[in-house]
Amino acid sequence: MTTSPPSTPSPPRPGALTERTLPLNSPETSASDTQITLFTSDRYGIVGLADGDAWRWARHALELAGFEKADTGHMVLPLSDLAHARETLLALRTVAEQSLGLRLTPSSDRYIGDFALDVTEHLPGHWTARVENYSLPLWQEDLAAWLWGAGTINHTLARHRVRQAAILQRDDGTEFAVLKDPRLDVYHVGALQPRHFPGPVTAPGPRGMTVQPTASAAAHTITTNLLPAYTRALLHAHVADLSDDLAWAHETYEAGTIPDPAPADLVGAYERFASAVPHVIAAIRELGTPDEHELRLLQEVENITTAPAQGTDPVPAAAHPDPLGWWLLEGADGLIGLAKHTADNAVLANGPALHAGRPAHALPSVPVSSQPPARRR
């Protein structure tokens, strides 16, 4: 598990300081709203998390008392030597409460990093977990801004002070945020906007959900509900994005009139298509049941998009001689149509397909849109 700061820049941490150099009468270091919360961790012993305006001094107090900086970035106190642990906690009380006027608060809640790692062990695929500490309310607002889709996690961030959250990340870039409900013994989970997406994600995201505090039960809910909903939402997002690019290309470049060399904006649109292909094909296979004809289409698209649109890179022997022209005139419509059909008709664990009564398979012809939308790039 790793720990990273939120994307909102945080104040720089001071350098080597001693207790005597702390300007305790400075308004910046007012300790009235600053606390050190101590969590018991199955993996680390005791974890100290600081929040409030004087959070930097709170972290310094943990250092002075003898807490160690773990590979997570958090301050931890191993319990392998209980006598040393007791001495360290007494020193922390002296430094934090008596010298700095900070609040020292033991928590009965489970350390969220332990819960997050336990959940990842039950999820399909390879996942990692990191913990973000929101020492200032602005940082939790930053997390809220990156959530994709509505749900209880959004309401919790909007209405309550949330001091830490865990971020689960799959090796394909999928990210879910997990936070503990401040009042109930449950956790809220929501998807973060996909990092690999080439631009702003305008499609609606999957709805977040509430899970039980048992890791296996939480992972089951995520696997059967949130993951498929995320895959479908991401597929809808790719369909909208790739359709816009193709409509713009059809409007701008008539068949057979592509300049040589091809314009950079046209090449860029094709490259966005090619970079999205692995994600789109994976989602189609996960959500749908492609027939033989559709499997051949997927394989063809996969083969062709391995070739460069232009440039000096070597072209594979079996590659299409003109992948850019193929994308513009025939290939993209087939994949986009199949992707849209799959996303629209996916049956999720928590509800029926979005559209019923469609034919079993819906590969489109290759029409050129007469009134494409304005290009968003």
Side-chain angles (χ1 to χ4, degrees), residues 44 58 178 211 221 270 341:
Y44 297 103
V178 181
V211 299
T221 302
Y270 169 77
H341 171 76

Side-chain angles (χ1 to χ4, degrees), residues 22-332:
L22 299 179
L24 299 181
N25 58 350
S26 169
E28 181 187 0
T29 60
S30 173
S32 59
D33 68 339
T34 302
Q35 67 178 7
I36 297 173
T37 306
L38 300 178
F39 296 88
T40 301
S41 167
D42 297 336
R43 292 171 171 83
Y44 297 103
I46 297 176
V47 180
L49 299 182
D51 66 89
D53 290 342
W55 64 270
R56 290 173 292 179
W57 312 135
R59 281 184 62 92
H60 188 61
L62 289 164
E63 291 178 347
L64 289 175
F67 276 66
E68 304 170 0
K69 187 174 182 180
D71 55 0
T72 64
H74 286 158
M75 305 305 297
V76 302
L77 174 62
L79 294 179
S80 53
D81 185 340
L82 294 181
H84 176 264
R86 282 193 293 268
E87 292 176 1
T88 302
L89 291 174
L90 289 173
L92 178 62
R93 172 170 292 182
T94 300
V95 173
E97 293 186 341
Q98 299 180 17
S99 298
L100 299 179
L102 306 175
R103 286 182 292 149
L104 196 59
T105 307
S107 176
S108 59
D109 287 341
R110 185 182 185 190
Y111 175 52
I112 195 169
D114 288 346
F115 177 74
L117 281 173
D118 287 349
V119 169
T120 63
E121 293 174 357
H122 296 277
L123 293 176
H126 181 261
W127 293 77
T128 58
R130 69 181 188 270
V131 173
E132 292 186 347
N133 190 36
Y134 307 128
S135 299
L136 300 174
L138 178 64
W139 296 355
Q140 86 181 56
E141 294 173 12
D142 186 66
L143 173 66
W146 277 100
L147 287 173
W148 186 33
T152 51
I153 189 171
N154 308 69
H155 299 306
T156 301
L157 283 168
R159 298 174 183 176
H160 300 281
R161 180 71 175 96
V162 175
R163 292 176 168 82
Q164 57 269 154
I167 308 297
L168 313 181
Q169 184 177 53
R170 193 165 61 180
D171 52 7
D172 65 353
T174 300
E175 288 183 310
F176 296 147
V178 181
L179 59 85
K180 175 73 166 58
D181 188 285
R183 299 168 300 169
L184 306 174
D185 190 21
V186 294
Y187 292 84
H188 305 300
V189 187
L192 299 184
Q193 297 181 29
R195 292 179 181 271
H196 74 270
F197 208 77
V201 184
T202 57
R207 185 167 186 82
M209 55 193 55
T210 299
V211 299
Q212 296 301 312
T214 303
S216 58
H220 177 75
T221 302
I222 293 171
T223 301
T224 58
N225 291 278
L226 185 56
L227 264 175
Y230 176 90
T231 301
R232 182 173 67 177
L234 186 59
L235 194 54
H236 273 301
H238 278 301
V239 166
D241 197 63
L242 299 180
S243 297
D244 281 359
D245 266 349
L246 190 61
W248 164 82
H250 283 163
E251 179 186 48
T252 307
Y253 300 96
E254 297 180 2
T257 62
I258 301 176
D260 187 17
D265 56 357
L266 187 63
V267 174
Y270 169 77
E271 290 176 344
R272 285 191 293 274
F273 172 78
S275 66
V277 162
H279 302 282
V280 171
I281 290 180
I284 290 174
R285 293 180 183 275
E286 182 177 338
L287 294 175
T289 53
D291 64 16
E292 185 177 347
H293 174 54
E294 292 164 343
L295 288 173
R296 283 199 300 271
L297 169 68
L298 297 180
Q299 188 62 59
E300 177 190 23
V301 173
E302 210 166 28
N303 292 339
I304 292 175
T305 53
T306 60
Q310 67 171 19
T312 59
D313 294 337
V315 178
H320 194 283
D322 182 16
L324 183 59
W326 165 87
W327 163 75
L328 185 60
L329 297 178
E330 55 179 308

